[in-house]
Amino acid sequence: MSSMFFHKHPYAPFIQNDTKKLIVGTLPPPRFSTGNLLEKDVDFCYGSYYNSLWLFIDKIHNLNLRFDNSEEAIEERKAFLIKNKMGVCDIVESCERDKIDASDIGMKNIKLRDIIGYLKQYPNIDTLLFTGGNSKNGPEYFFRKHLKTYNLKLELVSNEIPRIHQFSLYHSEHSDVSKVIKTVSLTSGSGAANISISRMPLYKQLKMKNPKFNTFDFRVMQYSEFF
């Protein structure tokens, strides 16, 4: 019987006092926890070259980022986040896996991070950007479970993709001051999401107008509004 792989998140949340938007995913692929990086991986949040939020951000802002194992590549990404008042706090702290892969479905014995705790600690955050929707073990799915433990729930604002929800948060137990936090469920950067993109009416329409238009372009278009 093979033993379970304990998959612990390799990065602490990256949040500053003036952070306004928080990017929330699940966990980086296991190679980031074991340190077996590929040549184009960056040792930082969303560092996987093959499912990289940074490829979209690079394209949107024309940053000419490095994609390698260097310290410079990490610093470029931190500088971008700080300048744009963005942070990263994935929702999964750890899980166990039978198979060493990055699938969301393969996660077991999942421990979640206390995102609400961070929102109270950093009151400037007003938007959560989920890098994936409400499918099982996706970031929005886990966040809904996490909200339940606080007796909170998401209210739908817009059902267009990317779906937008909101919820109200009181700063402390005794406070009357509540704050509305918006959540945006972006189409995941994973290859698996390409199938769902190709079925979207908007994508089909744009592809008909321009046969060169692809799923990468679609995400760049969708993400550019929020990044």
Side-chain angles (χ1 to χ4, degrees):
M1 178 78 192
S2 69
S3 64
M4 284 284 219
F5 171 67
F6 179 68
H7 189 180
K8 184 169 168 21
H9 201 298
Y11 308 117
F14 185 83
I15 312 174
Q16 321 297 312
N17 285 327
D18 64 350
T19 297
K20 286 192 162 143
K21 291 180 178 174
L22 201 55
I23 304 164
V24 181
T26 51
L27 270 169
R31 65 178 184 276
F32 287 86
S33 297
T34 58
N36 303 322
L37 297 189
L38 303 172
E39 199 182 330
K40 287 186 168 182
D41 285 337
V42 177
D43 192 5
F44 186 63
C45 313
Y46 299 95
S48 167
Y49 185 73
Y50 297 98
N51 169 7
S52 186
L53 180 63
W54 291 107
L55 287 170
F56 312 136
I57 291 174
D58 192 45
K59 179 87 171 148
I60 292 162
H61 291 275
N62 209 358
L63 297 174
N64 205 7
L65 292 174
R66 295 175 66 134
F67 287 88
D68 57 31
N69 300 169
S70 69
E71 194 57 45
E72 289 85 353
I74 299 170
E75 290 309 315
E76 286 175 352
R77 283 152 180 76
K78 287 182 176 175
F80 171 84
L81 292 170
I82 291 167
K83 181 179 166 208
N84 291 279
K85 298 185 168 43
M86 299 183 93
V88 184
C89 182
D90 287 343
I91 193 162
V92 179
E93 178 57 42
S94 68
C95 69
E96 290 179 343
R97 297 178 180 280
D98 289 323
K99 224 166 74 233
I100 303 190
D101 65 14
S103 84
D104 283 343
I105 294 302
M107 297 194 265
K108 293 177 176 170
N109 298 331
I110 298 154
K111 301 259 186 301
L112 298 182
R113 283 179 171 168
D114 182 13
I115 304 266
I116 296 295
Y118 286 112
L119 292 177
K120 289 181 172 175
Q121 197 182 334
Y122 296 97
N124 286 314
I125 298 169
D126 58 20
T127 306
L128 301 180
L129 300 172
F130 297 131
T131 56
N134 194 24
S135 52
K136 187 170 158 59
N137 291 1
E140 184 196 320
Y141 172 88
F142 282 136
F143 189 70
R144 285 173 178 276
K145 286 179 86 159
H146 175 53
L147 279 181
K148 271 192 190 136
T149 63
Y150 282 93
N151 293 321
L152 296 169
K153 64 177 203 293
L154 292 180
E155 300 157 38
L156 186 65
V157 175
S158 161
N159 211 10
E160 295 288 303
I161 291 173
R163 287 194 184 85
I164 294 176
H165 294 84
Q166 64 180 30
F167 64 98
S168 294
L169 186 64
Y170 287 93
H171 282 308
S172 67
E173 314 302 300
H174 315 291
S175 147
D176 310 333
V177 186
S178 80
K179 176 178 184 181
V180 174
I181 309 250
K182 179 170 92 168
T183 73
V184 181
S185 298
L186 297 159
T187 302
S188 156
S190 73
N194 290 342
I195 300 157
S196 67
I197 292 176
S198 64
R199 294 193 188 120
M200 290 177 195
L202 176 61
Y203 178 77
K204 289 177 178 169
Q205 201 184 325
L206 292 163
K207 182 93 176 152
M208 257 171 74
K209 279 190 194 148
N210 171 14
K212 288 197 175 121
F213 188 79
N214 61 26
T215 53
F216 180 86
D217 302 327
F218 183 83
R219 287 192 187 85
V220 166
M221 185 185 81
Q222 187 192 96
Y223 284 42
S224 63
E225 196 183 326
F226 304 101
F227 289 89

